[in-house]
Amino acid sequence: MFYYVKGPVVHMAPYLAVVDCGGVGYACRTTNNTLARLRKGETATLYTHLNVREDAMELYGFASENELSCFQLLISVSGVGPKAALSILSSTSPEGLATSIITGDEKALTVAPGIGKKIAQRIILELKDKLAKGQLSTPGGESYGGTGVTVIPQNKASEAAAALAVLGYSQAEAAAALKNIDMETLALEEIIKQALKKMVK
C-alpha cells in the first residue's frame, strides 16, 4: 500500500519514529539501527511495510530497502512476528543477518533480546531452505544432480553472492558488485558491506 513515507521526523521513541507527511504523522515501528540514522526535525525517507491484523494496522519503516527486505524475510518464517524481527534487526545489520543465515551462525541471532536458540535455528533452517529451493534468487549456486536443489559452494565469493541473494539482489547484480573485492583477506560480512556500497552508488 505504501512504498515509503518521506517528511520531517517529528517524534522518536524506542522502536518508533513518526514522520510528518503533508500534515499527517505516520507512526512507523522501526529498529535501533534506523533510529540511529534519524534526527528529529530533519527530513527522512522510510521504506515501509503495512502489517494488517484483525485488531490492528501497523506501519513499519526502515532507513534502507535492504533492512525492509530483511524484515519481510524474517516475518515469513513461522513463529517470527514483527516484534521479533525488529529485535533481530536492532541487534545486527542486514549484511550481518545475511551472513548469519548463510554461515548458520545461530549465536549471532540469539544476541537479540527475546530470540532463543530454537527460533534462531528455525530462521536459519527455513531461510536456507528457501534459498536452496530457489524461492530466493541464488547467485553462485549450482543445481545438484538435476534435483532442483541448489548447493552453495563453501567459499567466500559464493557465500557472499548467496548472502546478497538473501538481501534480494539478482545473480547479475551480485556478480557485478563482488567484482574486484578482495576475497582473500576480508571477512565475509565486510565483503558484503563493500558490495552493498557499490550497488547504492
Side-chain angles (χ1 to χ4, degrees), residues 26 29 40 42 73 76 78 81 83 102 115 117 143 176 183:
Y26 287 86
R29 306 288 175 188
K40 192 173 178 180
E42 293 184 7
L73 204 58
S76 74
S78 57
K83 185 177 179 180
I102 296 304
I115 305 301
K117 184 176 180 179
S143 180
M183 299 289 174

Side-chain angles (χ1 to χ4, degrees), residues 33 55-56 60 66 72 75 143 148 163 198:
N33 290 330
D55 58 343
Y60 293 81
N66 288 331
Q72 293 172 329
I75 63 174
S143 180
K198 288 169 70 175

Side-chain angles (χ1 to χ4, degrees), residues 147-170:
T147 61
V149 175
T150 300
V151 178
I152 302 167
Q154 295 303 305
N155 60 64
K156 283 185 185 178
S158 58
E159 285 184 337
L164 290 171
V166 170
L167 295 174
Y169 293 99
S170 69

Side-chain angles (χ1 to χ4, degrees), residues 163-184:
L164 290 171
V166 170
L167 295 174
Y169 293 99
S170 69
Q171 182 173 352
E173 288 171 330
L178 291 170
K179 192 174 180 181
N180 300 323
I181 292 179
D182 183 3
M183 299 289 174
E184 295 297 322

Side-chain angles (χ1 to χ4, degrees), residues 40-60:
K40 192 173 178 180
E42 293 184 7
T43 297
T45 299
L46 296 183
Y47 298 93
T48 56
H49 172 87
L50 182 63
N51 189 56
V52 180
R53 306 197 316 258
E54 286 184 10
D55 58 343
M57 290 176 62
E58 291 181 317
L59 194 63
Y60 293 81

